[in-house]
Amino acid sequence: MAVTIRDVARASGVHISTVSRTFSAPHLVNPNTRSRVLAHAEELGYRPNRAARALITGRTYNIGLIVADIANPFFPPLIKAAESQARKHDHHIFVADTNEDAALEEEVVRALAKQVDGVLLVSPRMSNTLIEQLSREVPLVVVNRQIAGIPAVVMDVARGARTAVEHLTALGHRHLALLGGPRGSWTSREIRRSAAATARTAGAELTIIGPNAPTEFGGLTVAQDVLRAGATAVLAYNDLMAIGLIEGLMAAGARVPADVSVVGIDDIMLSRLTRPKLTTVATPTAAAGRAAVDMLLAHGDDRRTTAHIHLQTELVIRDSTGRGPGPHSPADPGDVNAPEGVAS
Amino acid sequence: MAVTIRDVARASGVHISTVSRTFSAPHLVNPNTRSRVLAHAEELGYRPNRAARALITGRTYNIGLIVADIANPFFPPLIKAAESQARKHDHHIFVADTNEDAALEEEVVRALAKQVDGVLLVSPRMSNTLIEQLSREVPLVVVNRQIAGIPAVVMDVARGARTAVEHLTALGHRHLALLGGPRGSWTSREIRRSAAATARTAGAELTIIGPNAPTEFGGLTVAQDVLRAGATAVLAYNDLMAIGLIEGLMAAGARVPADVSVVGIDDIMLSRLTRPKLTTVATPTAAAGRAAVDMLLAHGDDRRTTAHIHLQTELVIRDSTGRGPGPHSPADPGDVNAPEGVAS
DNA sequence: GCCATTAATGCAAGCGGTTGCACAGCTGTC
DNA sequence: GACAGCTGTGCAACCGCTTGCATTAATGGC
C-alpha cells in the first residue's frame, strides 16, 4: 500500500541501502545517483517511515508534552509555542492532559517514553523523587519546577509575587489573603513563600487560603473565606482563580477594587477582557514553551545539560487593584482604578 | 538500555514469541506460563515498544489532531476532550497547529500519515479536493466540514446562525452585519448562507464584512466598517471576533447593546466573563472532539464509515443584544439587557 | 491401545528502515 | 604496470516485535 524504500530502490535501479543513504547520508552517494533516486522518490511520493528509522537509530523525532489541563488558558500559548518550535526542528508533539492528577502524569510519561526523544513536563504535580526516577528512563525537561540535576525552565513567580504584594501594601493594604494553587504545585509554594516573606517585611498580615483547584470555580468558592478573613487585598495563584474570586466577591455584594483588591498571575488573554480588567503578574508562557523544546533538543548533544533557565515575570497593573484602608505610598499612583470600572 | 521482549523471555525461560503472545494473544498461552511471564515483565518494567509493533501490525495507536490555532480558545476544549477520549482507548494524540495555513495543513497530514492510525482535521482551511486526496493516504475524520464520502462531525452552525438572526430581527433590528471568518472556512460559508436566507425572510438588510482573521484583532479592526454600514446588530463568525468588535465599537463611542447588538458564535469560556456578557451560539466542542475520535477508531472496523454526525447548537442570550430601532416581536423579552450592563 | 485432535510453544521470516563491512572500479604515484 | 587509496555501491545483520507454520505433548474417542 504505502510506498517504501524498496519501491524507490526498484524504480531507481539501486539497492535499498543507496536509497537510505540518499536521505540520511547524502554525501556518501554519487550526485547523479542521488538526484535520480530523489526524482523517483518524489514521483512515487516516498516518505521515510520514522518509526522504522527510530527502531535502529533510537531517535523518534517526537516529543511528549504533558500538561495538567489543556483547557486552562495558561497552557495553550505554551503548547502552541512548543509545537511550533518543535516543528521547526522537524519534530512532532504528543500532547497529554493529566487533569491535575499526579498518578496519571507518571503513567503517561511511561507510556510515551519509548516513542519520544524526550518529555516536557509542564507544571508537574508529582514528587521530585518520582521525576528524578523518570528522568532516568527518558530525557526530561521540567517547566515550573526546580530539581537539582534536571534541566528546567522556570518562571520567576517568586519575584512576581513579591512585586504584587509590594504593589498592594504600597496601596495601603494591611491585611492580605493568598489563594493557594493545587497540591503538588511548585509554583504555588514559591508564591506562598515569597508572598509571606514580602508581607512580613511590609508589616502586613497574610492569610493563606488553600490549596484550591486552579480554576474559576476554585476562586469562586473561596470568596466567602476571603471576606470572612477580613482581607482587603488578594493575590491568587492564577488569573482564572482571580476572576472566579471577583465573581464570587461581587455576588456577595463586595466591590472590586473599592472593597477588595485582586491580583492574578499569568496574564492570560482573558485578563484584559474581564471587567474590571485584572491586575496580574505576566508570565512568559510562549517563551517557556520554546525554551523547553530547545533544551530538550540540545539535551541530546551533551548528555548532562542540567541548566536551569529563568524567565522574568512582570506586574501588569490594571483595574482590579485600588487603595486600601491604610496609608498608601505616595510613589504609587492612587488612581489605578479604571474610569470604566464596574458600577458600584 | 531499555528492556525488550528478549529480556523478559530470557528471564522467564521462554521464547520471545511466547512473551509476545502473552501480551497480544493471551488465550494462546498457558495460564501458568502467562502469569510467570507477566511477573517477570512487571519486575523488569517491560513495556512493549509500540513503534516496533506498529511496523508489523500497521496499527500505531496514535492519532493526529490538526487545528488552525491552539491559542484560539475554541480549540482547547475540543483538544482536551479528544485527548481524553483517545487515551480511554489507549491511543496517544499528536497535536499540530497550522496557523490558519492551508498549505501547512497538507504538509502536516502527510508528515504524520505514517505514524498515526488516522487524522482529525478540525475546521480545515484546505480545499475539499485536497482533503479527498489525503483521505486516500490516511484515514481522515473532518470536523466542521461536510464532504461526501468522508466521515465528519459537524456542528449545526446554520441553525445557530438562523436562530441568532431571528433573535436580532425579533428585537427590531432591520439592518444587520455579518462578520465573516477566514477564507476557506466551511463554517463561515454555512453561517453566511443561513444568515442571508434568514435575514431575507425577515425582510432585514444584511451587510457582509469579510473574510476576516478569526481573532479579537480581526473583530476590532472592522468596528468602523460596521458603524459605517449603519448596522444596528452584528453576527460575528466567532466569539473572539465579537469581543474584539465590542472593544472597537466602544472605543469608537458606540454603546453595546444600546447602539449596536452583537452576537458571537462558540460560547467560549470568555463569553460569560466579558462585560457586557456576550450573547452567543453555543457549539458543542467537547462533544465534537469525542465524537471525532470515536468515528476514527470505529473507522478501522468497517472500512466505509462515511457517516456524518450532526451536533446541535444553541443560542445563549446574555447582555450584548438589545432592542433595535424597528418594532420588536412581543414574543421576545424586551429587557434582555442585563442590569449591570456597561455604563453609558 | 491406536490415531486424530487440540493445546502450548518454538522457529524463522519479515515489517521498513540503517549501517559496518566487503568489494569493484577508478585515480594517481613511482 | 603494479599498487595504495579513494569513491560508490551492494550485502546482510539487526532494531523490537508479530505471526504463519512446524513441532511436540497431552487428550479423547472408539
Side-chain angles (χ1 to χ4, degrees):
Chain A
M1 180 107 287
V3 25
T4 78
I5 202 172
R6 257 158 267 268
D7 300 320
V8 180
R10 201 172 310 126
S12 322
V14 297
H15 193 260
I16 59 162
S17 55
T18 301
V19 178
S20 173
R21 280 189 275 259
T22 300
F23 289 96
S24 47
H27 60 282
L28 289 181
V29 20
N30 182 299
N32 296 325
T33 316
R34 192 198 313 164
S35 54
R36 192 154 40 88
V37 169
L38 285 178
H40 282 109
E42 170 76 30
E43 187 192 327
L44 296 174
Y46 170 72
R47 296 227 177 192
N49 182 323
R50 286 170 174 228
R53 174 181 286 178
L55 211 48
I56 286 205
T57 62
R59 289 212 58 177
T60 63
Y61 282 82
N62 291 153
I63 292 177
L65 175 58
I66 300 182
V67 301
D69 177 9
I70 298 174
N72 178 333
F74 170 76
F75 293 106
L78 191 151
I79 300 175
K80 185 181 172 92
E83 196 272 340
S84 158
Q85 187 72 3
R87 196 126 46 71
K88 235 178 242 166
H89 297 283
D90 202 24
H91 284 242
H92 298 310
I93 289 229
F94 280 112
V95 173
D97 178 313
T98 61
N99 260 315
E100 304 276 348
D101 179 341
L104 209 47
E105 285 179 353
E106 177 185 2
E107 169 55 25
V108 171
V109 171
R110 291 234 160 84
L112 245 26
K114 290 275 183 37
Q115 45 190 334
V116 298
D117 294 340
V119 172
L120 264 40
L121 230 42
V122 185
S123 307
R125 307 293 183 230
M126 57 182 152
S127 71
N128 282 6
T129 323
L130 189 48
I131 292 179
E132 282 165 354
Q133 187 183 321
L134 290 173
S135 86
R136 260 171 261 127
E137 302 175 26
V138 55
L140 238 47
V141 169
V142 178
V143 178
N144 282 341
R145 185 102 143 211
Q146 293 204 72
I147 309 173
I150 308 239
V153 176
V154 295
M155 310 187 188
D156 194 348
V157 284
R159 184 162 170 280
R162 174 160 59 78
T163 319
V165 169
E166 284 170 355
H167 167 61
L168 293 173
T169 53
L171 281 169
H173 292 281
R174 311 256 54 96
H175 189 162
L176 279 41
L178 174 68
L179 304 196
R183 204 176 301 278
S185 161
W186 174 86
T187 299
S188 187
R189 277 196 304 276
E190 282 290 295
I191 293 169
R192 191 169 63 208
R193 192 177 51 69
S194 173
T198 312
R200 200 178 317 120
T201 304
E205 191 180 344
L206 181 73
T207 304
I208 310 247
I209 301 175
N212 308 289
T215 61
E216 196 199 333
F217 187 72
L220 185 66
T221 53
V222 294
Q224 290 298 339
D225 297 344
V226 168
L227 293 173
R228 204 172 305 123
T232 62
V234 184
L235 173 61
Y237 168 73
N238 69 10
D239 288 352
L240 235 35
M241 291 186 63
I243 289 166
L245 173 67
I246 292 176
E247 282 188 274
L249 290 173
M250 285 173 153
R255 297 161 304 169
V256 176
D259 298 327
V260 182
S261 287
V262 176
V263 181
I265 296 180
D266 288 347
D267 194 22
I268 59 179
M269 183 184 16
L270 248 167
S271 310
R272 283 183 301 109
L273 298 168
T274 53
R275 293 296 179 274
K277 294 178 185 171
L278 192 66
T279 293
T280 183
V281 176
T283 52
T285 48
R290 278 189 297 272
V293 167
D294 285 344
M295 285 189 93
L296 194 58
L297 297 184
H299 197 290
D301 305 342
D302 52 301
R303 228 62 196 83
R304 282 269 68 87
T305 312
T306 58
H308 286 193
I309 293 185
H310 287 257
L311 264 24
Q312 271 321 311
T313 58
E314 191 183 358
L315 181 66
V316 180
I317 299 176
R318 297 207 182 94
D319 311 338
S320 65
T321 46
R323 283 196 195 158
H328 69 279
S329 147
D332 213 76
D335 57 341
V336 288
N337 297 0
E340 80 267 37
V342 149
S344 65
Chain B
M1 178 108 288
V3 26
T4 77
I5 201 171
R6 252 160 272 270
D7 301 319
V8 180
R10 200 172 309 124
S12 320
V14 297
H15 193 261
I16 58 163
S17 53
T18 300
V19 178
S20 173
R21 280 189 275 259
T22 299
F23 289 96
S24 46
H27 60 282
L28 290 180
V29 19
N30 184 298
N32 296 324
T33 316
R34 194 198 312 163
S35 54
R36 190 152 41 88
V37 169
L38 285 176
H40 282 108
E42 171 75 30
E43 188 193 326
L44 296 174
Y46 170 72
R47 296 229 176 191
N49 182 322
R50 286 171 175 229
R53 175 180 285 178
L55 212 48
I56 289 201
T57 63
R59 289 214 57 178
T60 62
Y61 282 80
N62 291 153
I63 292 178
L65 175 57
I66 301 182
V67 301
D69 178 10
I70 298 173
N72 178 333
F74 170 75
F75 292 105
L78 191 151
I79 299 175
K80 185 181 172 88
E83 197 272 339
S84 157
Q85 187 71 2
R87 196 126 47 72
K88 235 177 246 167
H89 296 284
D90 202 24
H91 284 243
H92 297 311
I93 288 231
F94 280 113
V95 173
D97 179 312
T98 61
N99 260 316
E100 304 275 349
D101 180 340
L104 209 49
E105 285 179 354
E106 177 185 2
E107 169 55 25
V108 171
V109 171
R110 290 235 160 82
L112 244 28
K114 290 274 182 41
Q115 45 191 333
V116 298
D117 294 340
V119 173
L120 263 39
L121 229 44
V122 184
S123 307
R125 306 292 182 230
M126 58 182 150
S127 71
N128 283 4
T129 323
L130 188 49
I131 293 178
E132 283 165 354
Q133 186 182 321
L134 289 173
S135 84
R136 258 170 261 127
E137 301 175 26
V138 55
L140 238 48
V141 169
V142 179
V143 177
N144 281 342
R145 185 102 143 212
Q146 292 205 71
I147 308 173
I150 308 233
V153 176
V154 295
M155 310 187 188
D156 195 348
V157 283
R159 184 161 171 279
R162 174 161 60 79
T163 318
V165 169
E166 284 170 355
H167 167 61
L168 293 172
T169 54
L171 282 169
H173 292 282
R174 312 256 52 99
H175 189 164
L176 277 44
L178 174 69
L179 305 195
R183 205 176 300 278
S185 161
W186 174 85
T187 300
S188 186
R189 276 197 305 277
E190 283 290 294
I191 293 169
R192 192 168 64 209
R193 193 175 53 68
S194 173
T198 312
R200 201 178 316 120
T201 303
E205 193 179 343
L206 181 73
T207 304
I208 310 246
I209 300 174
N212 308 291
T215 60
E216 195 197 335
F217 187 73
L220 185 67
T221 52
V222 293
Q224 289 299 337
D225 297 344
V226 168
L227 293 173
R228 205 173 305 121
T232 62
V234 184
L235 173 61
Y237 168 73
N238 69 12
D239 288 349
L240 235 36
M241 292 187 62
I243 289 165
L245 173 67
I246 292 176
E247 283 189 274
L249 290 172
M250 286 173 152
R255 297 161 305 170
V256 177
D259 298 327
V260 182
S261 286
V262 176
V263 181
I265 297 181
D266 288 347
D267 194 22
I268 59 179
M269 181 180 23
L270 246 167
S271 310
R272 282 181 301 110
L273 298 169
T274 54
R275 292 294 179 275
K277 294 178 184 170
L278 192 64
T279 293
T280 184
V281 176
T283 52
T285 48
R290 278 189 298 272
V293 167
D294 286 343
M295 286 190 93
L296 195 59
L297 297 183
H299 198 292
D301 304 340
D302 52 301
R303 227 62 198 80
R304 280 269 67 84
T305 311
T306 58
H308 286 192
I309 292 185
H310 288 257
L311 264 25
Q312 272 319 312
T313 58
E314 190 183 0
L315 181 67
V316 180
I317 300 176
R318 297 206 183 93
D319 312 337
S320 66
T321 46
R323 284 198 196 159
H328 68 280
S329 148
D332 214 76
D335 56 343
V336 289
N337 297 2
E340 80 267 39
V342 149
S344 63

